Amino acid sequence: MLKVDELDVFYGNIQALKGVSLDVRQGEVITLIGANGAGKSTLLKALSGLLKPQRGVIDYLGQSIVGKPAQTIVRDGISHVPEGRRVFANMTVQENLELGAYLRKDKAGIREDMRQVYERFPRLLERRGQLSGTLSGGEQQMLAMGRALMARPKLLLLDEPSMGLAPLLVQTIFQIIEEINRDGTTILLVEQNAHMALSVASRAYVIETGRIALSGTAAELQASEQVKQAYLGGQ
C-alpha cells in the first residue's frame, strides 16, 4: 500500500530523516517507535504532504505522492492525526467533524460516517455542541481521530495518540485503534509508549536519529534486548 525508499528530509541545514525506507501493507498496523526528536513526526508530515522531502520515493497505491499538496493526499485516502491533536478550539465538536469531511460530496455517506464516529466515541456525541477547546485531552484525542475518519481514509497516520493521557484512557484509545483497523483501515502509528504500540502492531520499525535502526515483527522487537533496554524499561 505504501512504500518509502531512501527518504531524506531537512529542516534548513539540519537533516531530520536520513535514507529512511519502510513499507506498509494493506490491513496492517505498523508502528514506528523511537526517542523524542528521532524523526517520527517528520516522517508522518512528509507522508501527508506537510513537508517536502529533498530526496527519495513515497509510493502510495502504486503512485508517487512526493510533492502533492496535502489536500490531494487526503482525497487520495491518507488522513493524519497530528501530535498534540490540533482540534479547532473555537469550533464545536460537530463542526470539527464536519471539517474532516470537507473534501467529500456524498452527503448520505457523510451522515453515515458521522453516525459511526458518534457510535465509536459516545463521549463526542454527548458534547457535540461544545467548543472543542473546552474538552479534556482524551476527548480532544477522540475528536482528532474522529475528524480524520470523516475523510474515510484507507491509511490512517496516528502521531502519539496516547501522549499526556491517563493510563485508563490510553487503554481505551488503543482499543479503538484496534477496532478501526479491524473495520478495514490500515494504520501507521507513531507512539512513545512502546509497550502499547507493539501490543497492537503486526510489524514495527525503530527510528534513531533519523535512520531506521531495526525492523521486524512486533513479537521480534518485543523480544529484542536492544529494544527492551532502550524502549521497554529493560523488561
Side-chain angles (χ1 to χ4, degrees):
M1 184 180 224
L2 181 75
K3 185 170 177 56
V4 177
D5 198 31
E6 292 294 323
L7 204 66
D8 290 350
V9 175
F10 287 78
Y11 292 105
N13 294 324
I14 298 166
Q15 188 168 2
L17 295 182
K18 303 164 186 170
V20 167
S21 299
L22 58 80
D23 63 89
V24 179
R25 298 167 203 148
Q26 194 154 350
E28 287 188 309
V29 178
I30 299 296
T31 192
L32 195 62
I33 57 177
N36 262 339
K40 306 185 301 296
S41 295
T42 299
L43 177 61
L44 294 197
K45 287 175 183 171
L47 297 178
S48 61
L50 298 175
L51 285 174
K52 190 173 179 187
Q54 274 68 20
R55 189 175 78 90
V57 172
I58 306 172
D59 273 356
Y60 167 67
L61 298 176
Q63 302 261 324
S64 172
I65 57 170
V66 173
K68 277 192 175 184
Q71 67 270 26
T72 304
I73 291 173
V74 172
R75 194 180 278 124
D76 288 345
I78 298 178
S79 285
H80 185 174
V81 180
E83 183 182 355
R85 291 120 205 178
R86 303 289 179 92
V87 298
F88 297 99
N90 294 324
M91 299 173 76
T92 65
V93 166
Q94 176 85 13
E95 287 166 342
N96 268 266
L97 293 176
E98 286 167 355
L99 264 182
Y102 179 73
L103 294 171
R104 293 174 56 184
K105 301 286 185 277
D106 55 321
K107 288 185 178 175
I110 292 169
R111 277 197 303 274
E112 174 57 20
D113 286 355
M114 185 77 73
R115 186 193 65 74
Q116 286 183 12
V117 166
Y118 280 139
E119 197 173 276
R120 200 182 291 285
F121 302 103
R123 194 83 60 86
L124 297 183
L125 181 60
E126 292 166 19
R127 287 162 171 61
R128 64 182 163 185
Q130 194 169 318
L131 290 181
S132 301
T134 65
L135 300 178
S136 71
E139 290 162 351
Q140 288 190 12
Q141 185 60 53
M142 292 173 189
L143 178 56
M145 289 167 71
R147 182 180 61 190
L149 291 173
M150 286 300 297
R152 200 174 274 186
K154 298 182 183 81
L155 174 63
L156 185 62
L157 310 177
L158 280 173
D159 197 350
E160 300 286 6
S162 78
M163 186 182 278
L165 301 186
L168 203 59
L169 261 178
V170 172
Q171 296 277 358
T172 302
I173 290 293
F174 273 89
Q175 283 166 5
I176 291 166
I177 290 169
E178 288 186 288
E179 284 171 21
I180 291 167
N181 178 245
R182 275 199 301 272
D183 288 346
T185 305
T186 305
I187 294 172
L188 178 56
L189 168 68
V190 158
E191 179 55 66
Q192 279 204 299
N193 185 333
H195 274 294
M196 292 300 295
L198 292 170
S199 75
V200 299
S202 39
R203 292 187 299 119
Y205 293 86
V206 175
I207 188 165
E208 290 178 356
T209 58
R211 300 181 195 279
I212 300 293
L214 279 174
S215 66
T217 66
E220 285 167 349
L221 291 195
Q222 279 171 318
S224 154
E225 284 305 319
Q226 189 178 338
V227 172
K228 282 182 187 175
Q229 291 304 320
Y231 304 106
L232 301 175
Q235 295 165 20

